[in-house]
Amino acid sequence: MCVSRFQEPDQAPADAVSSGGARRPVTEDQRSGGKETSGSRPGLLRWLDEKKPLILLLGASLALSLVFFNAFAVPQGDFFGFWWNAVHYLQGALPPSSPYSFKRLPLFSALIGAGSLVMPGSEPVLLAAEILNVALGLVCVWLIYRLARRFLSLSASVAVAALCAVHPVMVSAVAQPLADILLLTLVLCAFDCAFSASRWAYWWACL
């Protein structure tokens, strides 16, 4: 009795699957063993996976800002100058001390004045300033990360942004209802546009 020495292979060739003598291409799912690959994931999930370190950093920075939110019983004295200007801007008038009052960034007073229109409580201008600085603090951390990524690796960029986020000067600037964080945001925006060869750098610089 003659026994066939040929046996059916346990696995089909990598580039084709035999079916009735016909060859058909192997699909990407068969090549990966049915496992989901990074290239086959939906765009949003892939983006979230790539930005996970940055998202975690921004979340931690927001938590730190909320810990020190409204931490001062009385705001720093310069805030009342911004408050005075904001009240006059809302009335459609310039402060009586203009143009001397322009030494306090008019943009900050205009923003907190506009924000106070939707703020509850007895001190809407103060609350608007505090919320604005928390939001701008996150923008600063993101811009620092973005600028660092032009020169450093992902891990190094996250580390640089994290160090800036927890620096005492940064934490204090976010907690105080002053224009320091807004100025830092404008400077970082100008640098980011300058590195991108964008003319918007002049716009951010003039603000």
Side-chain angles (χ1 to χ4, degrees):
M1 178 180 295
C2 180
V3 180
S4 174
R5 299 174 57 187
F6 298 100
Q7 296 181 354
E8 188 175 339
D10 295 334
Q11 185 176 2
D15 58 344
V17 176
S18 176
S19 176
R23 296 166 63 88
R24 68 173 184 271
V26 177
T27 63
E28 193 65 30
D29 290 339
Q30 291 171 333
R31 290 183 185 275
S32 60
K35 297 180 180 179
E36 185 180 36
T37 60
S38 58
S40 64
R41 301 179 68 182
L44 178 60
L45 293 179
R46 187 167 61 252
W47 182 86
L48 290 174
D49 188 58
E50 293 172 354
K51 301 298 182 181
K52 186 183 298 183
L54 177 61
I55 294 173
L56 293 176
L57 173 60
L58 292 177
S61 179
L62 176 60
L64 181 62
S65 299
L66 294 178
V67 168
F68 293 97
F69 187 80
N70 199 18
F72 298 93
V74 178
Q76 204 267 356
D78 287 343
F79 165 74
F80 297 100
F82 291 109
W83 174 86
W84 179 254
N85 292 345
V87 170
H88 283 81
Y89 293 158
L90 287 176
Q91 297 172 352
L94 293 176
S97 57
S98 299
Y100 176 76
S101 64
F102 290 164
K103 72 174 185 176
R104 308 196 186 282
L105 188 63
L107 179 61
F108 184 73
S109 296
L111 290 175
I112 64 176
S116 68
L117 297 176
V118 296
M119 293 296 163
S122 59
E123 295 293 340
V125 178
L126 175 60
L127 183 59
E130 292 173 332
I131 292 178
L132 175 64
N133 278 0
V134 169
L136 291 179
L138 296 179
V139 175
C140 286
V141 172
W142 173 70
L143 287 171
I144 292 170
Y145 165 83
R146 179 179 168 89
L147 288 169
R149 280 295 286 142
R150 296 180 180 274
F151 310 99
L152 304 174
S153 64
L154 173 62
S155 57
S157 300
V158 172
V160 169
L163 288 175
C164 293
V166 300
H167 195 282
V169 174
M170 183 75 167
V171 174
S172 175
V174 171
Q176 286 282 6
L178 300 176
D180 299 357
I181 289 297
L182 177 58
L183 286 171
L184 178 59
T185 302
L186 297 176
V187 170
L188 291 173
C189 285
F191 271 103
D192 184 65
C193 290
F195 281 119
S196 302
S198 172
R199 293 186 177 181
W200 282 100
Y202 298 103
W203 167 258
W204 292 113
C206 77
L207 290 177

